[in-house]
Amino acid sequence: MTRPRVAVAQMTSIGDQEKNFSTVSRLCQEAKAQACSALFLPECVSFIGANQEETIAAMQPLDGPLMTRYRQLAQQHSLWLSLGGFQEQGPDAGHLYNCHVIVSAEGQIQARYRKVHLFNVEVQNGPVLMESRSTAPGNELVVCNSPAGRLGLTVCYDLRFPEMYQRLVFDMGAEILLVPSAFTKLTGRAHWELLLRARAVETQCFVIAAAQAGVHNHKRESYGHSIIIDPWGDVIAKLEDPLATGIAVVELDFEKLQKVRERMPMKEHRRQGRISMGWDQPATADEAAFAPGSTFKQ
Ligand SMILES: O=C(O)CNC(=O)[C@H](CS)NC(=O)CCC(=O)C(=O)O
């Protein structure tokens, strides 16, 4: 059985697309030097602005010059890239999509997922983040085949909405759940690893979570702790320094995934759609919350 070798990245994006691009370029070299077939990068990989105006000014369509350069980078290194969050030109001049893009080793866009759950939260003793002021939500679930396995795409705050992961895995066949993030320091300390391991255990999937780390500007600081978890919930890779820029490399053991799923066949045991909202209510059909939008192309 195959054991795809993959890398999870960690970085500190800033308000300078050129500098972030050269950081990613360096991380690609490292991943290639360690014989990886795929590199997973965090949310806001190409840019983190100091305010919403800067972020809006950074947005580009996926066929624009910046994404074209990231596609060339993937091709040059013959490496699959998960660009965990790209400021994609949105539905109007004041809104972008927080877009997770998968690029193949040939430099083709294989899938794009627009973040569904937007982070409008006043973190206690932390920042006030109102993502929906500048970001329009997506409304499609996306899975995508890759040499590493079948990927389920999500972004950051989505992590707190487990029903989405259930559908990506049990209805759409994902084997690796991606959660590229820019978690705040405070919420990260409290919930990051707990939630990620829970998603891995309850879906029997690998979870790959590339994180933004450290100080981006005078207002933003991220928790770091990029991590890869296996389908039993074991942590199999993390950055030695939870705030450093770099990668952690691991081989994904699909035999273990198969064993975990065989020994506890949760997909078969699932009774979604056969339970009612009360003892005196009839069981109703499972209503689709999202339109499945698989962009699987292979
Ligand atoms: O603002 C941008 O440039 C890009 N978007 C983000 O960084 C988003 C929204 S502010 N961050 C999160 O979702 C953090 C979630 C989080 O920390 C939690 O769930 O606890």
Side-chain angles (χ1 to χ4, degrees):
M1 194 166 284
T2 56
R3 276 175 162 257
R5 200 171 156 82
V6 302
V8 66
Q10 182 164 283
M11 63 190 286
T12 310
S13 291
I14 54 171
D16 181 332
Q17 288 175 331
E18 282 309 314
K19 291 221 168 92
N20 299 327
F21 186 84
S22 24
T23 304
V24 173
S25 171
R26 219 172 60 232
L27 294 170
C28 283
Q29 281 167 23
E30 283 181 39
K32 203 61 204 175
Q34 295 197 51
C36 296
S37 59
L39 170 65
F40 297 89
L41 294 147
E43 186 186 22
C44 303
V45 55
S46 54
F47 189 82
I48 285 193
N51 55 55
Q52 313 232 341
E53 292 69 38
E54 273 184 35
T55 309
I56 286 297
M59 71 185 182
Q60 290 191 12
L62 296 188
D63 59 3
L66 188 57
M67 185 51 69
T68 301
R69 287 175 63 201
Y70 277 104
R71 289 172 51 198
Q72 286 163 352
L73 198 61
Q75 191 180 17
Q76 268 166 33
H77 291 92
S78 187
L79 196 60
W80 280 66
L81 294 182
S82 150
L83 300 161
F86 181 82
Q87 285 86 8
E88 182 198 3
Q89 182 104 51
D92 58 56
H95 293 85
L96 52 82
Y97 294 113
N98 190 339
C99 189
H100 180 174
V101 180
I102 303 294
V103 180
S104 71
E106 286 79 42
Q108 298 304 315
I109 293 182
Q110 293 291 326
R112 64 120 175 88
Y113 161 76
R114 293 166 171 164
K115 187 181 187 189
V116 167
H117 300 98
L118 301 179
F119 193 62
N120 289 339
V121 176
E122 209 169 311
V123 179
Q124 269 215 316
N125 307 313
V128 181
L129 295 167
M130 287 295 153
E131 191 173 21
S132 69
R133 271 174 48 200
S134 56
T135 305
N139 55 16
E140 292 169 347
L141 293 179
V142 177
V143 296
C144 167
N145 276 9
S146 82
R150 193 162 166 87
L151 311 173
L153 277 63
T154 74
V155 178
C156 198
Y157 186 48
D158 285 330
L159 176 59
R160 294 180 185 273
F161 300 85
E163 66 270 19
M164 188 166 161
Y165 296 82
Q166 296 280 304
R167 303 214 40 207
L168 284 170
V169 176
F170 295 124
D171 301 333
M172 296 170 78
E175 298 164 320
I176 304 175
L177 296 169
L178 305 182
V179 196
S181 297
F183 248 60
T184 71
K185 240 174 85 174
L186 273 143
T187 58
R189 209 179 283 146
H191 301 149
W192 173 249
E193 191 168 323
L194 171 71
L195 290 172
L196 290 166
R197 291 186 63 199
R199 293 302 84 83
V201 171
E202 73 203 6
T203 59
Q204 305 180 308
C205 275
F206 293 101
V207 170
I208 302 182
Q212 288 287 345
V215 179
H216 311 284
N217 55 50
H218 62 285
K219 281 199 282 200
R220 285 284 292 272
E221 188 170 355
S222 297
Y223 178 64
H225 292 78
S226 289
I227 194 168
I228 303 181
I229 301 160
D230 77 10
W232 187 243
D234 288 334
V235 175
I236 51 173
K238 52 175 155 183
L239 274 281
E240 246 161 74
D241 174 348
L243 289 178
T245 294
I247 61 170
V249 173
V250 77
E251 287 182 1
L252 302 178
D253 180 358
F254 272 82
E255 219 164 295
K256 183 164 179 185
L257 177 139
Q258 209 172 39
K259 274 193 198 133
V260 165
R261 290 184 177 187
E262 271 167 20
R263 287 176 188 159
M264 203 189 281
M266 289 178 65
K267 184 178 163 151
E268 285 164 38
H269 294 163
R270 192 170 174 241
R271 291 181 57 80
Q272 183 71 19
R274 297 194 202 91
I275 37 184
S276 81
M277 302 269 274
W279 63 271
D280 54 351
Q281 298 296 317
T284 51
D286 180 26
E287 293 208 335
F290 305 92
S294 167
T295 54
F296 163 57
K297 277 202 201 108
Q298 280 174 332

